[in-house]
Amino acid sequence: MNEMRPTNTNEIRPIRWTGWRLELLDQTRLPHEQVTVSITDYRVAADAITEMRVRGAPAIGVTAGYAMALAAAELQSRERDQFIGSLRQAGEYIAAARPTAVNLGWAVRRMLRVAEAEPDPGSILPALEAEAQRIQQEDEAINRRIGEQGRALMPADGQGVLTHCNTGALATSAFGTALGVIRAGWEAGGRFRVFNTETRPWLQGARLTSWEFQQLGIPATLIADSAAGMMMLNGDVSCVITGADRIAANGDTANKIGTYALAVLANENGIPFYIAAPTSTVDLSLADGAGIKIEERPAHEVTTYGSAPTAPDGTAAYNPAFDVTPNRYITGIVTEAAVCRPPYAESLRRAVDAA
Ligand code: MRU
């Protein structure tokens, strides 16, 4: 893994494919350093997902697509069954990088289906490269459609919207999901206020979302996670919108830890609570959220900031990275196909079929 400085562009593009080389804007170094890691080994790409150099459900999916292409380049063989067998093993390694975001396994399976459909082993490599690029291009187009679908949900001028974690370009191939809806609302001329949580313990909100809003020129106010309830009670927040890592068939939604608390607080205060996500995040194989595996991350993410300890040596810490918000707290789920409303078992199925 080499380090390079990224080129400056207006649109933030955290993932670049430069001819059998995957370049990731290292999100462990933002906002103070913009460093690109350059990857040619699929294991290193999978490790970059585990270490959260790239993170956010759609971005993980795009990275997994390219990781499969890199695996094919390394494992290619003239013997087709052997080639497919080794690709499947590489796919298992990549899919195990993080457990909660459905997009990871979804992208690996999509790439494997393309490989399996190629009768000639010599054409697998170009087919996989093209498919990985298609996943990335589709993601940007889908996010822009999510923004179109959702922008009318943004509050009136002067009222506040609250978002959690990072769901912008950094979490996707470009534009973002929940942050994309906020951006689309601003680009349509809305002048509502924007609040974003810090998102303890990894600080996706403070480090990444605040940086993205600055790049976009959208004024945003950072709040401590624990300030959200008081702000809702005081009338500063009239709408909450977050992303999703996995949405079960009934609308129960896994997202960054703390999302459930925001949804319950929104409900208590009569404030609409929206999820924005591509239909690829909907997992129709799960009837409800009870089947969603929640990632538990290392304790040191809670007991330190960077390398600086924030708790006494030996402190025990528990670090679930996601929680599941029951569908009853969700006012609507914004997908590229439609704004889905309860009952979600029907509206999500229709959106998935229409996408
Ligand atoms: O642990 P992370 O940073 O990968 O978690 C990200 C989130 O929870 C996002 O809200 C979700 O992936 C949607 S990103 C468009």
Side-chain angles (χ1 to χ4, degrees):
M1 194 156 64
N2 308 315
E3 289 189 353
M4 306 184 329
R5 299 282 143 187
T7 51
N8 256 344
T9 54
N10 293 333
E11 286 289 333
I12 301 164
R13 291 186 195 281
I15 304 167
R16 288 171 189 272
W17 179 250
T18 54
W20 299 99
R21 186 175 289 277
L22 176 63
E23 295 185 347
L24 302 176
L25 181 57
D26 187 344
Q27 299 189 30
T28 64
R29 309 281 287 268
L30 284 169
H32 302 302
E33 289 177 299
Q34 292 179 46
V35 171
T36 299
V37 289
S38 182
I39 296 171
T40 51
D41 182 324
Y42 75 89
R43 300 170 201 81
V44 179
D47 294 349
I49 293 173
T50 306
E51 293 157 6
M52 292 173 68
R53 296 182 193 284
V54 59
R55 31 87 22 224
I60 291 172
V62 172
T63 304
Y66 286 122
M68 286 296 285
L70 290 175
E74 178 184 319
L75 303 167
Q76 61 187 313
S77 147
R78 297 168 76 84
E79 211 285 294
R80 187 178 173 280
D81 289 350
Q82 187 187 323
F83 189 3
I84 299 284
S86 341
L87 261 183
R88 283 200 191 112
Q89 279 180 0
E92 280 170 25
Y93 183 85
I94 295 163
R98 289 188 77 188
T100 304
V102 70
N103 309 58
L104 178 55
W106 168 86
V108 168
R109 283 192 300 278
R110 178 166 160 173
M111 296 294 284
L112 275 175
R113 275 198 303 277
V114 168
E116 285 159 0
E118 287 297 331
D120 170 15
S123 46
I124 290 180
L125 211 50
L128 287 186
E129 181 182 38
E131 189 69 5
Q133 288 173 313
R134 215 165 5 249
I135 291 175
Q136 183 171 25
Q137 286 154 7
E138 279 173 13
D139 182 61
E140 177 170 353
I142 285 169
N143 294 338
R144 289 182 185 274
R145 294 218 299 278
I146 291 172
E148 288 298 305
Q149 294 281 357
R151 69 178 191 205
L153 304 172
M154 292 298 92
D157 292 358
Q159 294 186 350
V161 60
L162 174 67
T163 192
H164 187 51
C165 194
N166 171 264
T167 60
L170 289 170
T172 60
S173 58
F175 202 81
T177 57
L179 195 152
V181 171
I182 294 172
R183 172 178 171 177
W186 256 74
E187 286 178 351
R191 288 298 172 262
F192 46 85
R193 301 185 69 197
V194 178
F195 298 100
N196 63 295
T197 60
E198 285 181 302
T199 320
R200 286 278 301 149
W202 210 77
L203 298 173
Q204 286 94 332
R207 297 192 303 106
L208 308 177
T209 301
S210 296
W211 182 76
E212 280 205 45
F213 279 130
Q214 279 186 355
Q215 304 294 310
L216 291 167
I218 298 175
T221 302
L222 178 65
I223 62 166
D225 298 332
S226 43
M230 186 207 73
M231 294 190 65
M232 290 189 209
L233 189 63
N234 288 353
D236 295 316
V237 171
S238 341
C239 166
V240 181
I241 188 162
T242 76
D245 281 76
R246 195 181 291 250
I247 302 172
N250 73 343
D252 291 353
T253 295
N255 191 52
K256 180 52 52 193
I257 191 75
T259 303
Y260 166 63
L262 292 177
V264 173
L265 283 166
N267 187 263
E268 166 68 16
N269 288 283
I271 295 168
F273 177 88
Y274 296 106
I275 295 288
T279 50
S280 58
T281 300
V282 180
D283 184 352
L284 292 177
S285 76
L286 293 180
D288 58 43
I292 301 177
K293 185 166 168 35
I294 298 296
E295 176 183 10
E296 193 180 326
R297 293 197 56 86
H300 71 76
E301 291 180 355
V302 177
T303 56
T304 56
Y305 173 68
S307 52
T310 55
D313 284 351
T315 299
Y318 172 50
N319 187 13
F322 300 95
D323 55 30
V324 176
T325 299
N327 61 10
R328 65 181 177 278
Y329 294 116
I330 302 172
T331 313
I333 299 178
V334 186
T335 71
E336 72 275 24
V339 179
C340 301
R341 304 279 181 177
Y344 291 113
E346 289 158 31
S347 58
L348 284 173
R349 159 78 62 185
R350 271 200 306 275
V352 169
D353 289 346

